[in-house]
Amino acid sequence: MAEPDVTVPETGSPRPVRVFLLDDHEIVRRGIRDLLSSEPGIEVVGESGSAVDAVEQILALAPDVAVLDGRLPDGSGVDVCRDVRSANPDIAALILTSFDDDEALFSAIMAGAAGYVLKQVRGNELIDTVRRVAAGQSTLDPAVTTAVLERLRTGAQQASAMDQLTGQEQKILALIGEGMTNRQIASTIFLAEKTVKNYVSSLLAKLGLDSRTQAAIFATKNLPDRA
């Protein structure tokens, strides 16, 4: 397996890929440490079982790669990834998790992770992934990245559409989010039911939504103070 082009300026010779491990299960952490440490060109420089302690340790040690457990009792590897990458973007993060779901993957990508690996991964595959991430490569499936970008684009469009709503339309949207019917909304804000119906049709068109149900979901996500 090709090693990343990491050299020591004084000697010009390759230096080991420096890795930090975060996992609350000691046995799992020890197994990963032994696996990586036995591989030529990889050095485990630190480890932690706590998300709270990990950020400070990682930033102090400045490893090439931080292998982070997706979920921990006191936080998540995704949060650690976000905090570390915000402070030092030169540190690559690899999320290692038992959970395979789109929302967790989306969060990992948004936090700046270079890879997302399930714990069922084979040892040689994990070693290869660590090397690739250390070399500045992303191991994320391009199709997954494209889906995330599309989700961001759609979200940006909806946020922009929100700005087009009038104050009255935003108020009605919030009441839809609370589960009110047109008649209840009309009674609450002292408008004719037909007028409310017209407002609802207008706001649905502006937001690119097809139904009240979609509007209610949108309101819950985008108007948290009213949810």
Side-chain angles (χ1 to χ4, degrees):
M1 289 175 284
E3 294 191 19
D5 184 15
V6 181
T7 59
V8 179
E10 292 80 0
T11 64
S13 61
R15 67 170 174 79
V17 173
R18 304 173 70 253
V19 178
F20 184 95
L21 302 177
L22 169 62
D23 196 301
D24 62 307
H25 294 97
E26 182 183 358
I27 299 300
V28 174
R29 194 170 69 247
R30 182 179 297 180
I32 298 173
R33 181 188 63 203
D34 292 346
L35 171 70
L36 296 179
S37 297
S38 66
E39 183 70 13
I42 296 180
E43 176 186 4
V44 177
V45 297
E47 59 184 84
S48 175
S50 167
V52 172
D53 298 332
V55 175
E56 183 177 352
Q57 293 182 48
I58 294 172
L59 293 177
L61 293 167
D64 300 303
V65 180
V67 180
L68 310 172
D69 188 4
R71 300 184 186 181
L72 301 108
D74 63 342
S76 75
V78 170
D79 292 334
V80 172
C81 172
R82 183 181 299 107
D83 292 343
V84 167
R85 296 274 301 166
S86 296
N88 186 347
D90 290 333
I91 300 175
L94 177 63
I95 305 298
L96 186 62
T97 180
S98 302
F99 303 94
D100 183 16
D101 62 84
D102 292 341
E103 195 63 36
L105 177 55
F106 176 83
S107 298
I109 294 174
M110 292 303 298
Y116 186 91
V117 179
L118 295 179
K119 287 185 176 179
Q120 295 93 318
V121 65
R122 293 180 180 273
N124 63 329
E125 293 174 346
L126 178 60
I127 291 169
D128 180 56
T129 300
V130 168
R131 290 192 186 282
R132 290 171 59 191
V133 168
Q137 301 176 25
S138 171
T139 63
L140 296 167
D141 186 335
V144 172
T145 304
T146 299
V148 169
L149 293 176
E150 175 62 21
R151 179 169 172 175
L152 288 174
R153 184 186 68 80
T154 302
Q157 288 179 337
Q158 290 181 330
S160 177
M162 273 291 294
D163 295 336
Q164 300 178 36
L165 298 185
T166 65
Q168 191 75 294
E169 287 170 341
Q170 290 189 26
K171 184 183 297 183
I172 291 174
L173 176 62
L175 295 175
I176 290 175
E178 294 176 9
M180 289 192 180
T181 64
N182 284 353
R183 177 171 297 180
Q184 291 171 325
I185 293 173
S187 176
T188 299
I189 59 177
F190 307 106
L191 289 176
E193 186 175 346
K194 183 176 180 180
T195 301
V196 171
K197 182 178 180 180
N198 290 337
Y199 273 121
V200 172
S201 297
S202 175
L203 70 86
L204 288 177
K206 288 181 179 180
L207 295 176
L209 304 176
D210 298 322
S211 68
R212 293 176 66 90
T213 300
Q214 290 181 353
I217 294 172
F218 182 90
T220 301
K221 291 182 177 179
N222 293 276
L223 299 172
D225 291 338
R226 294 296 193 94

